[in-house]
Amino acid sequence: MSKNSTNERVTAGMLVIGDEILSGRTKDQNIGTVADFCEDLNIDLCEVRVIADEIPEIVDAVNALRTKFTYLFTTGGIGPTHDDITADGIAAAFGVPLNVDDRAIKMMQDRFTDYPMNEGRLRMARIPEGGELIPNTVSGAPGIKMDNVYVMAGVPKIMQGMLEAIAPTLKTGIEVFSASCDSQVGESSLSEPLAALQISYPTVKIGSYPQMGSDHYMTQIVLRSSDKSSLDEATQKVREIIAAATQSKLKI
């Protein structure tokens, strides 16, 4: 187990910031990456919001999500252009000044020699007062940590590097086990008994996912729980439900 592991549930929210995402000009790749990252650390990613590049929107969303979850991950809006205003929004959310930070300048200049700090690069060195820096091994411009909020770049490769940098510092949650069962019957044939089973096993999350094959219909049932014993029992019950539904289908 990780040295940061805990027997408590660890949760996260994600805030995707950018007009380009909402307009469709840029296709988001970061939500899936953060979801996988959280799953690897047994962190429950509970909510994702996509908002515009507007400071009031950023302030409202950050303050709502950082108090709701163990961690808040944000992506986008910390670049060098005038519309990269996430740092401004984070500073406003925490009620602190936003200033050019010598640590951030050094981090960028250490990454590249002969790196003049023009106006755009100085924008990327603005850090809310009290913020910690998240390393950026690609371009040097750091992300920002404020309390339980992790502010990261929107560029997928840079964002992934920042996730790797913060991973050792995060608490990991309770280990969650999973199981899956495939059936050749439709969802509607399984819905009623699965609903009853879910009531009987409240600590097991039971999901039903229909899939269309080239020549057949399939429903996959996925079960997840931190209680291995209950998971095993519920999985056996699902197999019995599938078997009964399959037999009923054959009789028709």
Side-chain angles (χ1 to χ4, degrees):
M1 296 179 71
S2 164
K3 65 179 182 179
N4 297 323
S5 63
T6 175
N7 289 324
E8 300 176 356
R9 185 179 183 224
V10 180
T11 61
M14 180 178 178
L15 187 59
V16 180
I17 303 167
D19 294 338
E20 69 280 5
I21 302 294
L22 291 168
S23 70
R25 289 192 301 274
T26 299
K27 309 303 180 187
D28 178 80
Q29 300 177 40
N30 293 329
I31 294 174
T33 299
V34 170
D36 289 341
F37 172 80
C38 288
E39 184 173 10
D40 287 344
L41 295 180
N42 297 322
I43 296 172
D44 290 338
L45 181 61
C46 301
E47 184 174 345
V48 177
R49 296 190 192 183
V50 183
I51 63 171
D53 290 304
E54 297 181 10
I55 290 178
E57 297 293 328
I58 295 172
V59 171
D60 288 348
V62 166
N63 282 336
L65 296 175
R66 73 185 176 100
T67 57
K68 189 176 181 180
F69 302 115
T70 311
Y71 299 119
L72 171 60
F73 304 117
T74 83
T75 66
I78 59 172
T81 61
H82 72 282
D83 57 345
D84 286 314
I85 58 171
T86 296
D88 304 76
I90 297 296
F94 281 87
V96 298
L98 179 68
N99 300 308
V100 172
D101 192 305
D102 289 339
R103 297 172 301 163
I105 292 175
K106 184 177 186 303
M107 190 174 285
M108 286 187 270
Q109 292 180 329
D110 285 347
R111 179 68 182 86
F112 296 105
T113 58
D114 190 23
Y115 195 70
M117 296 304 296
N118 58 29
E119 185 176 346
R121 288 167 182 158
L122 284 173
R123 281 188 61 82
M124 294 189 291
R126 297 177 309 144
I127 306 297
E129 188 174 287
E132 300 176 30
L133 305 187
I134 300 173
N136 173 357
T137 58
V138 178
S139 70
I144 305 162
K145 176 185 181 297
M146 292 288 291
D147 193 18
N148 65 332
V149 180
Y150 294 81
V151 183
M152 297 175 289
V155 178
K157 183 177 180 181
I158 297 176
M159 194 277 298
Q160 290 171 24
M162 290 181 175
L163 285 177
E164 292 173 6
I166 67 174
T169 71
L170 300 177
K171 293 189 296 184
T172 59
I174 303 169
E175 184 176 4
V176 176
F177 305 95
S178 65
S180 63
C181 303
D182 295 338
S183 75
Q184 302 298 318
V185 295
E187 238 186 342
S188 59
S189 301
L190 304 173
S191 60
E192 189 173 338
L194 286 180
L197 184 66
Q198 181 66 88
I199 293 171
S200 298
Y201 290 88
T203 63
V204 181
K205 287 187 176 181
I206 303 174
S208 176
Y209 305 97
Q211 300 179 28
M212 298 297 294
S214 58
D215 57 356
H216 64 275
Y217 189 91
M218 186 180 84
T219 303
Q220 184 176 67
I221 309 302
V222 178
L223 304 90
R224 301 179 73 247
S225 178
S226 58
D227 184 339
K228 185 67 164 58
S229 177
S230 292
L231 177 71
D232 290 343
E233 289 180 18
T235 300
Q236 180 56 39
K237 297 289 186 182
V238 168
R239 294 193 182 105
E240 293 170 4
I241 289 170
I242 290 173
T246 302
Q247 282 297 108
S248 178
K249 178 182 176 183
L250 293 174
K251 291 176 181 178
I252 296 175

